[in-house]
Amino acid sequence: REDRGRSPQRDFHILFVPRRSLLCEQWLKEQGVLGSFIHREQYSLDLIPFDGDLLSMESESAFKECYLESDQTSLYHAAKGLMTLQALYGTIPQIFGKGECARHVANMMIRMKREFPGSQNSIFPVFDTLLLLDRNVDLLTPLATQLTYEGLIDEIYGIQNTYVKLPPEKFAPKKQSEGGKDLPTEPKKLQLNSAEELYAEIRDKNFNAVGSVLSKKAKIISAAFEERHHAKTVGEIKQFVSQLPHMQAARSSLANHTSIAELIKDITTSEDFFDNLTVEQEFMSGIDTDKVNNYIEDCIAQKHPLIKILRLVCLQSVCNSGLKQKVLDHYKREILQTYGYEHILTLNNLEKAGLLKPQTSGRNNYPTIRKTLRLWMDDVNEQNPNDISYVYSGYAPLSVRLAQLLARPGWRSIEEVLKMLPGPHFEERQQLPTGLQKKRQHGENRVTLVFFLGGVTYAEIAALRFLSQMEDGGTEYVIATTKLINGTSWIKSLMEKLEPAPF
C-alpha cells in the first residue's frame, strides 16, 4: 500500500529472531514485497539469562518440534547458543549426553567447531563438563506436581518469563479492603528472581518449610524497626535512617510472599489437591499402576479440567512403561466421550511422544529404574532435606539423579539402567589448547552445565541448586534449557488446537 501511495518513500526493516529464514523471504517474494524491505537483518537470540545460574531459549514448541514433527531447528539453535557460550567462557572439555536430541546437538557442536577453526579460543574454561539431557529420557518429572515454593507458584498461577500474575484481593492495603469500596481489580504482577533476598532464600524450599522461614523473617524485621526507639545520639539516628530503604524493601517483600504463601496454602490444603497428590505418589512409588484408577475415572465423570486428567493418565503410563491395551482403550474412550472427539488428535500426539502408550514388551522396566536410581525415598525430610527427593516430597527427579550420579561415581555404575532409558548415551572430549588445562586447587568445585533439551521444571532446577550447595558435593551446576515448563504448559503444547475453517 505504501509503495502505491505517492508520499515520500519510507525505509522498511525486517528483523528476524533468532534467524533469517529462507521460507519467509520466499513468501515475501511471492507476495511481491521483498524488494520493499531494503534492510533484512537477523538478531540471533539463543540463550537468555533468567538468573545467575539459569539460561533459557524460551522456545515454546521445541519439544513438540523434536518429538512429533522431527523438526530439529531448535536443536540447531541450542548448538549455536552453546558455541556462543564457549566463545565467551572457554571450550568445555567434557561433553556427556543421553538421548537422540542430545546426540544431534553434540554432533552439531563438533561439526561447527571443525568448520570454524577460528573458534579455537584462548579463554580459560569456566565449565568442566556439559551434560546434554533429552526431555524424553525423563518424561515422568514434569507430569508430577512440583512441591517447592517456586514450583507451586508456577503450577497454580504460571510464571511467564520470571513474572507472575496473582489475584489482587490478597494484596489490597488493609484500609482499602475494610472499606470494601476500592478493591483492586487488576491482577498483581510480580517479578520473581534471586535479586530479591527473601525469594532467593525460599524459592527452592519444599512448600511445607516456607511458613517457618516467613515467620522468623517477620520477627527479625519487626525487631529491626523497634531499634528506632533506642536510637539516642545523632550518629545512631543517622545509621538507622540509612538502613531504612533496605528495611522497607524487606518488609514489602515479606508482605508479598506471605500473601502468596496464603494463596497457595488455600489450594494445597484442599481435599482435591490432596487426592490428586496421593494418586500421583502411589503411581511413582509403584502402587496399582497397571489397572484403571478409580480416582481418574471419578475426575472424568465430574468433568475436571482435561489437562489434569491427561497428566494423571500419562503419569500412570510412564510409571508402568506403558498401559495394557485394555486399560489404555478404556481411558481413551472415557476421555473422548466426556470431552469431545476432537481430542483424538491430542491423544495421538501424546502417544507419539511416548507419554501415553500401550505396553509393548509386556515387561515393566520402571520398578528396576526406580530401585537402581533410588527415585522413591520413603523417609523424606522436607524441613532440612538431605536428598533431592524433597522437591516432590518423596520422588527424586530422574534427570537430576542422572546428573548427580554422573558427578559421582560416574555413569559406568548404572550402565544397565541407562540402556533401559530411551536414546543413546555418549561421552565426547574437546581438546583444549596447551596451557588451558585446569589444575584443580584443593577444595575447588567442578562446574557442570546441564542442558535440558525439551524443557525443564522449577523443581528440577531447585534439586540441582540443592546439589550445588551440598558441602561434600564438589560440583556446581548451571542450568540451560529450551524452555521453562510445568506439566500443564507442557501437555498444552502437545494438544491440537482445532481452528474452525477460515472460509
Side-chain angles (χ1 to χ4, degrees):
R1 198 162 69 197
E2 190 77 21
D3 285 350
R4 279 187 227 120
R6 298 218 175 83
S7 56
Q9 290 292 311
R10 278 189 279 197
D11 273 1
F12 283 103
H13 299 249
I14 279 194
L15 249 175
F16 291 95
V17 185
R19 298 277 171 282
R20 255 170 90 160
S21 106
L22 254 169
L23 283 175
C24 279
E25 297 196 343
Q26 187 60 38
W27 191 82
L28 291 169
K29 197 173 181 177
E30 282 166 21
Q31 300 301 313
V33 293
L34 189 67
S36 316
F37 295 100
I38 310 156
H39 307 280
R40 295 194 291 278
E41 316 288 337
Q42 66 176 15
Y43 180 58
S44 12
L45 182 69
D46 292 307
L47 288 163
I48 308 157
F50 267 40
D51 222 312
D53 56 355
L54 178 62
L55 301 149
S56 172
M57 287 164 52
E58 285 308 280
S59 155
E60 308 240 339
S61 48
F63 182 84
K64 186 176 184 179
E65 285 166 11
C66 293
Y67 296 102
L68 296 184
E69 296 160 1
S70 304
D71 170 0
Q72 291 168 0
T73 317
S74 57
L75 300 183
Y76 169 75
H77 294 320
K80 249 351 224 170
L82 284 163
M83 293 310 279
T84 310
L85 214 58
Q86 290 192 105
L88 294 168
Y89 299 106
T91 303
I92 304 173
Q94 274 184 315
I95 301 177
F96 290 92
K98 172 76 183 142
E100 293 287 348
C101 295
R103 185 65 273 186
H104 282 302
V105 171
N107 289 348
M108 281 192 257
M109 286 172 69
I110 292 159
R111 198 171 136 190
M112 286 172 187
K113 201 165 176 209
R114 228 185 16 246
E115 288 172 2
F116 306 108
S119 69
Q120 263 299 0
N121 55 17
S122 50
I123 298 171
F124 206 76
V126 171
F127 299 106
D128 300 277
T129 312
L130 165 65
L131 169 57
L132 295 162
L133 277 180
D134 273 30
R135 181 71 276 169
N136 82 334
V137 169
D138 171 16
L139 294 169
L140 171 55
T141 302
L143 293 169
T145 303
Q146 310 172 63
L147 296 174
T148 57
Y149 180 59
E150 186 167 39
L152 276 165
I153 296 177
D154 189 36
E155 292 280 355
I156 299 166
Y157 297 107
I159 299 174
Q160 284 295 329
N161 307 333
T162 72
Y163 279 94
V164 65
K165 285 183 176 164
L166 299 156
E169 310 80 60
K170 285 267 188 211
F171 296 91
K174 282 279 180 288
K175 293 184 196 71
Q176 279 184 341
S177 52
E178 282 158 19
K181 46 182 186 290
D182 299 327
L183 274 178
T185 49
E186 282 295 295
K188 172 92 171 163
K189 193 175 177 185
L190 288 176
Q191 186 175 17
L192 302 172
N193 62 29
S194 295
E196 189 183 348
E197 237 171 85
L198 178 60
Y199 189 61
E201 187 179 334
I202 59 176
R203 67 190 301 180
D204 300 322
K205 288 190 183 306
N206 183 297
F207 184 63
N208 287 336
V210 168
S212 57
V213 177
L214 291 177
S215 64
K216 217 178 286 169
K217 277 274 180 284
K219 284 184 189 129
I220 293 169
I221 288 171
S222 61
F225 274 99
E226 281 306 306
E227 287 288 293
R228 69 176 185 276
H229 301 307
H230 307 301
K232 298 282 189 294
T233 66
V234 174
E236 285 171 349
I237 292 170
K238 194 174 167 190
Q239 193 189 352
F240 178 80
V241 170
S242 70
Q243 287 168 349
L244 255 182
H246 178 75
M247 283 158 59
Q248 278 161 335
R251 185 157 69 178
S252 84
S253 160
L254 178 72
N256 281 341
H257 288 294
T258 308
S259 300
I260 297 174
E262 282 171 10
L263 284 168
I264 293 175
K265 195 163 189 237
D266 290 346
I267 287 167
T268 55
T269 48
S270 69
E271 204 175 315
D272 196 38
F273 185 87
F274 179 75
D275 292 344
N276 190 64
L277 193 62
T278 308
V279 172
E280 281 184 15
Q281 301 213 328
E282 281 174 0
F283 288 158
M284 291 190 289
S285 56
I287 301 169
D288 288 345
T289 54
D290 56 348
K291 52 180 197 250
V292 173
N293 182 281
N294 294 340
Y295 174 72
I296 298 180
E297 278 196 307
D298 291 348
C299 288
I300 296 175
Q302 293 164 19
K303 215 165 176 182
H304 282 223
L306 176 62
I307 290 191
K308 171 185 173 175
I309 309 288
L310 293 176
R311 276 178 76 164
L312 282 171
V313 177
C314 290
L315 186 75
Q316 183 177 352
S317 167
V318 175
C319 291
N320 198 53
S321 308
L323 296 167
K324 291 192 181 113
Q325 195 64 52
K326 197 170 73 202
V327 176
L328 183 62
D329 291 344
H330 176 81
Y331 278 142
K332 283 184 172 176
R333 192 169 58 246
E334 293 286 308
I335 288 170
L336 294 177
Q337 285 176 353
T338 306
Y339 297 94
Y341 281 88
E342 66 273 21
H343 294 295
I344 198 158
L345 297 168
T346 295
L347 293 177
N348 186 36
N349 284 353
L350 295 175
E351 195 163 327
K352 249 169 130 178
L355 281 162
L356 185 61
K357 57 177 194 197
Q359 206 174 52
T360 39
S361 61
R363 241 194 103 227
N364 177 5
N365 284 331
Y366 177 70
T368 316
I369 297 169
R370 188 183 67 234
K371 275 197 198 74
T372 315
L373 297 180
R374 306 199 331 281
L375 296 186
W376 185 259
M377 310 292 271
D378 282 320
D379 45 345
V380 65
N381 184 343
E382 295 170 342
Q383 304 293 333
N384 297 309
N386 53 4
D387 181 75
I388 56 171
S389 56
Y390 82 93
V391 298
Y392 286 100
S393 292
Y395 164 71
L398 191 154
S399 53
V400 184
R401 206 46 116 203
L402 288 180
Q404 186 181 11
L405 290 166
L406 176 67
R408 248 201 346 244
W411 274 359
R412 289 218 177 88
S413 58
I414 50 163
E415 285 279 343
E416 286 307 303
V417 167
L418 282 174
K419 284 181 190 138
M420 290 177 188
L421 297 168
H425 58 283
F426 59 87
E427 177 182 355
E428 297 282 351
R429 291 191 178 275
Q430 299 200 76
Q431 282 303 309
L432 290 176
T434 33
L436 291 184
Q437 277 87 353
K438 257 195 184 174
K439 303 270 186 294
R440 195 163 306 289
Q441 305 299 317
H442 180 66
E444 189 188 351
N445 281 344
R446 306 175 63 82
V447 183
T448 297
L449 174 65
V450 187
F451 201 126
F452 289 86
L453 300 159
V456 67
T457 62
Y458 285 107
E460 287 169 295
I461 295 169
L464 283 165
R465 284 184 179 141
F466 173 77
L467 291 180
S468 295
Q469 286 157 4
M470 273 168 72
E471 308 243 309
D472 55 347
T475 308
E476 276 177 48
Y477 293 94
V478 175
I479 302 130
T481 180
T482 48
K483 177 87 182 109
L484 294 161
I485 59 169
N486 60 38
T488 303
S489 64
W490 187 41
I491 297 265
K492 212 177 247 172
S493 75
L494 295 171
M495 290 174 85
E496 284 296 333
K497 294 171 202 54
L498 289 179
E499 306 290 334
F503 34 79

